[in-house]
Amino acid sequence: MKNLAQRLASILGVVAMLSVAGLTLAPTAQAQQINPTEQSVTEDALFEALQGGEKITGRVSIPDELSTGLIKPGNASWADTHTGTVRFLTILAVVGAVVVLGAFYLIRGRIKVDGGLSGIRILRFTSIERFAHWLMAGSFIVLALTGLNLVLGRTMILPWLGEGAFSTISTWGKIAHNYVGWPFMLGLILSFLVWVSHNMPNKVDAEWIAQGGGLLKKGVHPPAKKFNAGQKVIFWSVTLGGAALSFTGVMMLFPALAGTQADWQLYQLIHGIVAAGLSFIIIAHIYIGSVGMEGAFDAMGSGEVDLNWAKEHHSLWVDEVEGKTGKADGSGKAAHPAE
Ligand code: HEM
């Protein structure tokens, strides 16, 4: 009994000593440093606690070490630099494209079929080619608009749309941006497969470039095969730019695959810069493929173009098609007059 009483007394003594030590140490520790995993603190308090340190880290129960970082001042300045650069380039691309195309339209007007429409239609793109194009094009447009909202929405759309509506469209836009990347990649791969063989540079391209593609002067029609040099530039910009956007996009969706934080930040910057550059090119492409050139849209609409249009813009391709099939439409069926 005596033994037990002595043991209890010594245990209580140790507990008492520890409590006193804890009580006296705790305030000092609290005053000097903040423990973000135990205390609810404001961002200001965390910044104060940095005291010239490089970062404040917490504790997590998942394997991702990166997520332990709570405050790292370098990230805030990185975000400012990144956002500033991407915003500037995006505005430059969109405004630049509108100004350049507006000036082009004022100088050159709509590019017409000089010989007039023949009324004979020839098959330019099969349904597989058109499916690949519209899958890629439709998803790119969704990605571009939702991406534009991510970059410029808060400064340019929020003020006139108001918080409620802006928050709704941004939430849906972010979800769309994350998911529509997949059909875009599929469209990109399909377009690459169906068109790569027609986009290899050749001698004819030099002449096409030397004559400014015939875009600058009425009545000038440099020869071209299925795709001219300008279209090859678009094809390779879309292929390489699209691949860069896809890779960096997937890295941002799955940061655990991205390597270090510096790698992730680099991917984020590349994504923004390539998106801005490609948008400039695509705005010009959409203009030429629709209102800018008479007869062009049909190629991707119905798949058939007017024979005179084809002879003026892709004379060597028409020769090839007629030579191969003995008929104008290249499909093995006779070309037919348009209704
Ligand atoms: C409303 C939007 C668009 C329209 C009206 C349009 C129209 C066209 C047309 C008419 C052609 C065939 C030109 C020819 O017969 O020679 C074409 C080709 C092509 N389009 Fe589009 N397009 C659009 C959006 C896009 C987008 C967003 C992309 C890429 C992300 C794209 C990529 C391509 C490529 C790579 C080609 C083949 C190369 C070339 O002709 O430049 N298009 N498009």
Side-chain angles (χ1 to χ4, degrees):
M1 258 325 253
K2 198 184 161 199
N3 254 350
L4 186 66
Q6 272 175 343
R7 265 192 212 160
L8 269 176
S10 45
I11 289 168
L12 281 174
V14 171
V15 169
M17 272 161 61
L18 285 175
S19 321
V20 171
L23 279 174
T24 47
L25 282 174
T28 330
Q30 265 177 4
Q32 281 173 357
Q33 65 181 43
I34 283 170
N35 182 349
T37 55
E38 282 180 8
Q39 289 140 304
S40 169
V41 287
T42 63
E43 197 175 54
D44 284 347
L46 284 173
F47 270 114
E48 243 167 59
L50 264 170
Q51 288 168 355
E54 211 231 327
K55 60 180 169 181
I56 294 183
T57 52
R59 180 168 53 77
V60 290
S61 54
I62 54 170
D64 181 12
E65 273 302 304
L66 275 184
S67 60
T68 57
L70 270 179
I71 295 279
K72 194 174 174 191
N75 285 353
S77 55
W78 155 259
D80 287 347
T81 315
H82 164 262
T83 312
T85 311
V86 173
R87 256 188 214 160
F88 171 74
L89 291 175
T90 305
I91 294 172
L92 190 70
V94 176
V95 176
V98 171
V99 169
V100 170
L101 294 171
F104 182 70
Y105 180 76
L106 289 178
I107 296 166
R108 181 66 164 91
R110 188 170 201 224
I111 299 171
K112 297 256 178 163
V113 178
D114 289 331
L117 299 177
S118 67
I120 313 268
R121 315 277 289 168
I122 103 168
L123 182 72
R124 178 135 174 86
F125 293 116
T126 62
S127 44
I128 294 174
E129 287 174 301
R130 281 178 285 139
F131 172 75
H133 175 267
W134 288 119
L135 181 63
M136 174 174 70
S139 44
F140 181 91
I141 290 168
V142 172
L143 290 167
L145 292 177
T146 51
L148 208 61
N149 185 46
L150 287 175
V151 177
L152 297 173
R154 211 184 290 185
T155 42
M156 294 195 174
I157 301 175
L158 171 65
W160 60 265
L161 208 59
E163 279 172 7
F166 177 73
S167 137
T168 308
I169 64 149
S170 299
T171 307
W172 284 106
K174 180 74 184 71
I175 293 170
H177 201 83
N178 287 354
Y179 284 95
V180 176
W182 302 103
F184 172 71
M185 287 183 241
L186 184 62
L188 190 67
I189 293 169
L190 284 178
S191 305
F192 177 78
L193 293 177
V194 293
W195 287 333
V196 65
S197 63
H198 297 286
N199 280 286
M200 294 301 165
N202 57 37
K203 291 199 293 274
V204 189
D205 296 331
E207 196 185 332
W208 190 92
I209 293 168
Q211 296 193 38
L215 294 173
L216 305 172
K217 228 168 142 195
K218 225 174 156 224
V220 178
H221 299 294
K225 293 194 172 196
K226 178 153 177 163
F227 291 122
N228 60 42
Q231 290 176 300
K232 288 178 187 176
V233 169
I234 292 184
F235 174 84
W236 286 109
S237 305
V238 168
T239 300
L240 300 176
L245 285 174
S246 305
F247 174 75
T248 51
V250 170
M251 288 301 125
M252 284 191 275
L253 274 180
F254 304 106
L257 300 175
T260 66
Q261 191 177 10
D263 294 335
W264 195 93
Q265 289 176 333
L266 183 66
Y267 296 145
Q268 196 188 14
L269 186 63
I270 293 174
H271 197 83
I273 293 174
V274 174
L278 201 54
S279 299
F280 178 88
I281 293 172
I282 291 300
I283 295 172
H285 167 76
I286 293 176
Y287 170 77
I288 285 288
S290 56
V291 290
M293 181 186 276
E294 182 186 14
F297 184 82
D298 293 350
M300 278 303 166
S302 66
E304 292 180 342
V305 288
D306 190 89
L307 185 59
N308 280 356
W309 179 92
K311 282 184 175 164
E312 288 180 10
H313 298 294
H314 300 276
S315 55
L316 301 175
W317 171 72
V318 176
D319 291 348
E320 268 173 31
V321 169
E322 287 182 334
K324 255 186 219 161
T325 63
K327 285 165 191 153
D329 71 353
S331 66
K333 287 179 251 156
H336 53 273
E339 295 83 53

